[in-house]
Amino acid sequence: MSFLRLAVRSVARPRFAAAAIPPMRGQFLQKATYSAAAPLTRDTITTRVVDVLKGFEKVDPAKLTVKSSFDKDLGLDSLDAVEVVMAVEEEFGIEIPDAEADEIKTVEQVIEYIAKTPDAGTPSEAAMKHGVAFRKFSRTSSHRMLMLRNLVTSLLKHEQIKTTLPKARDAARLADKLITLGKKGDLTAFNKANAFVLEPEVLPKLFGPLAQRYAGRVGGYTRVHKYGNRPGDNAPHAILELVDNPRDIKFEMTARTIGWEVLGKRLGQSGPQGLIKSGVEGVKEVIEQEQKLAPKEKGELREKTRWNLQKILRFRGADAVKQLQQKAEGHIDSLLARPLAVRQLLNAQASKEDNEQLALTANAFRLKAGQTLPGGTKPTLRLAAGALGKDRRLPKWIERRKLGINRDFSALWNNF
């Protein structure tokens, strides 16, 4: 779908009210009646789904089969998959819930979903969806487009913004189209981008560093992180960011996860006291080894962590491994330093030092609901219960050592 077509579809079309029909005595207006249509056959569904996919520019008809995957075979990113689902909804006059739409990854899954949906048919047979292709945000078309242009301009300028979840999703769609114009780099693309952004100062960045950063990507230049609900109206919050930006949230979270899991492995091998004296080594080797492993192979990291590691390093430069190593080692150092700081605070309190600042610092180290120490084995639901949950002790041969904190000290930590 082109950038101009996307902008045109969001403009509201004028509606004309039908003229009132005067009452006529002795005459009856004919009422249109429809008979129940026969259920669609699988061959018909397959043909119509294939025709819908052929309408996308990225799809190669030679690679399009019933067994084709959206990302691996057809080269469609997550936003393209959303547009495919929307096109299928419009073709068959149905509405697919978001939870089920996220699970659709192949052409065969689309066909299976249509086949088991009794209301699937032509738009004339089902409820026609006019004017609901995109969100309206309770605004006029001019106000809505100006708001989205402002969000996209701020995203290109700061590379990370916070807004509501629906606005973030619509702004991400437009930002991807704009970055595609930046990668083209011709005069026509420059004029289109110049007509869309509100601050011309971001154009050199769009056609320069951003175009070079995403030269190897075919799509998916943005990422949406859910960020709880907004105080007041309880609207769902989200952080919209450009992938591989200097403050990439997923990069930071993956680095911390790597540090946590590597530290948990090392605790069972050399013990906490040795790690505190010598530190954790071999983080870079772990990262390089996990890059080469398949998703189902066993390594030092969990499968989900390995998948995230390979994903964030796929399009980054050669120095990405070093940056990831530094962030993971920094998080390991903070995890090792935390129990030592608490132990010093406890010793200071035992010596009866009256210091308000010391009490505030000790309270900051208190474990919260859902928080545990590296090497912890408690289930997530029990951790989330916090002090309200039952503290069931595991057998000693199952418990793992936690940074040299014995049972008595762990109880002191929890009862700060």
Side-chain angles (χ1 to χ4, degrees):
M1 186 182 296
S2 64
F3 179 77
L4 290 179
R5 181 183 176 188
L6 180 65
V8 169
R9 288 182 62 181
S10 63
V11 178
R13 295 180 174 84
R15 299 181 180 179
F16 301 94
I21 302 177
M24 302 177 64
R25 296 182 179 179
Q27 297 183 7
F28 297 93
L29 296 178
Q30 295 182 354
K31 180 186 293 185
T33 57
Y34 300 93
S35 59
L40 298 174
T41 61
R42 189 176 182 86
D43 294 338
T44 304
I45 296 174
T46 303
T47 303
R48 292 171 63 173
V49 170
V50 170
D51 291 340
V52 169
L53 289 170
K54 287 182 179 178
F56 287 82
E57 298 178 356
K58 292 185 179 180
V59 176
D60 186 4
K63 300 180 180 179
L64 181 58
T65 61
V66 178
K67 301 292 184 179
S68 298
S69 174
F70 290 161
D71 53 350
K72 296 180 181 179
D73 301 327
L74 304 182
L76 300 176
D77 54 26
S78 58
L79 292 178
D80 294 329
V82 173
E83 293 185 2
V84 169
V85 173
M86 292 173 59
V88 170
E89 289 178 339
E90 186 176 356
E91 172 68 21
F92 292 92
I94 61 175
E95 183 174 357
I96 304 176
D98 294 340
E100 298 180 5
D102 294 339
E103 301 297 330
I104 297 179
K105 304 296 182 182
T106 62
V107 180
E108 187 176 13
Q109 290 178 348
V110 176
I111 298 173
E112 292 292 340
Y113 187 88
I114 299 300
K116 67 181 182 180
T117 303
D119 298 335
T122 60
S124 60
E125 297 168 357
M128 303 183 69
K129 297 172 61 179
H130 287 302
V132 293
F134 299 99
R135 301 175 180 87
K136 302 300 184 288
F137 299 111
S138 300
R139 291 170 170 84
T140 60
S141 60
S142 58
H143 187 187
R144 180 172 61 253
M145 284 305 299
L146 184 61
M147 177 193 67
L148 294 176
R149 289 171 60 190
N150 189 19
L151 288 174
V152 173
T153 304
S154 299
L155 177 62
L156 296 177
K157 183 178 181 179
H158 303 287
E159 301 192 23
Q160 191 179 94
I161 60 175
K162 184 171 70 173
T163 180
T164 59
L165 183 59
K167 292 178 184 176
R169 287 173 174 171
D170 275 30
R173 183 185 296 111
L174 294 176
D176 278 12
K177 304 295 181 181
L178 207 62
I179 293 177
T180 302
L181 293 178
K183 291 174 62 177
K184 290 182 178 180
D186 54 5
L187 181 60
T188 304
F190 182 86
N191 291 334
K192 290 181 180 179
N194 187 27
F196 184 84
V197 298
L198 299 181
E199 298 182 14
E201 293 81 7
V202 302
L203 290 177
K205 182 179 181 180
L206 175 62
F207 286 85
L210 294 183
Q212 296 174 3
R213 181 194 298 175
Y214 303 122
R217 291 180 179 265
V218 295
Y221 314 114
T222 57
R223 183 183 296 120
V224 178
H225 299 276
K226 293 183 179 180
Y227 194 65
N229 294 342
R230 181 169 59 188
D233 58 355
N234 204 35
H237 249 176
I239 295 178
L240 175 62
E241 65 175 359
L242 298 178
V243 297
D244 298 341
N245 71 85
R247 299 181 298 164
D248 195 336
I249 295 179
K250 191 167 188 176
F251 191 85
E252 297 284 344
M253 294 173 61
T254 305
R256 292 191 175 196
T257 307
I258 292 173
W260 181 278
E261 295 183 8
V262 170
L263 179 59
K265 291 283 186 178
R266 298 293 191 273
L267 282 175
Q269 298 174 0
S270 59
Q273 298 299 333
L275 291 178
I276 292 176
K277 295 180 180 179
S278 62
V280 178
E281 299 179 353
V283 178
K284 182 179 180 181
E285 289 73 12
V286 172
I287 296 174
E288 293 176 348
Q289 181 182 2
E290 294 292 332
Q291 277 188 280
K292 304 175 183 178
L293 295 180
K296 297 298 182 182
E297 293 182 2
K298 290 186 178 180
E300 290 202 39
L301 303 180
R302 296 183 299 116
E303 294 182 5
K304 190 65 175 180
T305 306
R306 184 188 308 125
W307 183 81
N308 287 327
L309 183 148
Q310 296 174 355
K311 189 173 183 179
I312 63 175
L313 296 179
R314 181 179 179 184
F315 295 102
R316 286 181 176 262
D319 58 340
V321 176
K322 184 177 181 180
Q323 295 177 2
L324 190 64
Q325 173 195 355
Q326 293 176 351
K327 292 183 180 295
E329 291 177 348
H331 188 58
I332 290 175
D333 293 340
S334 64
L335 291 174
L336 288 173
R338 177 168 182 162
L340 295 179
V342 175
R343 183 170 298 175
Q344 293 177 359
L345 292 172
L346 285 176
N347 295 335
Q349 287 183 353
S351 62
K352 298 181 180 180
E353 293 183 2
D354 295 332
N355 191 343
E356 296 182 359
Q357 187 66 28
L358 183 63
L360 293 176
T361 307
N363 190 32
F365 283 100
R366 179 183 179 185
L367 287 179
K368 300 177 177 61
Q371 189 177 4
T372 184
L373 299 175
T377 56
K378 289 186 178 180
T380 305
L381 292 178
R382 192 172 300 169
L383 290 172
L388 300 178
K390 296 181 179 179
D391 189 10
R392 300 178 181 176
R393 296 288 181 180
L394 295 176
K396 292 185 178 181
W397 58 274
I398 295 180
E399 290 184 352
R400 298 169 59 181
R401 287 173 290 183
K402 304 178 182 179
L403 296 178
I405 301 174
N406 54 24
R407 181 174 299 179
D408 298 334
F409 188 75
S410 180
L412 288 174
W413 187 325
N414 293 326
N415 295 326
F416 251 116

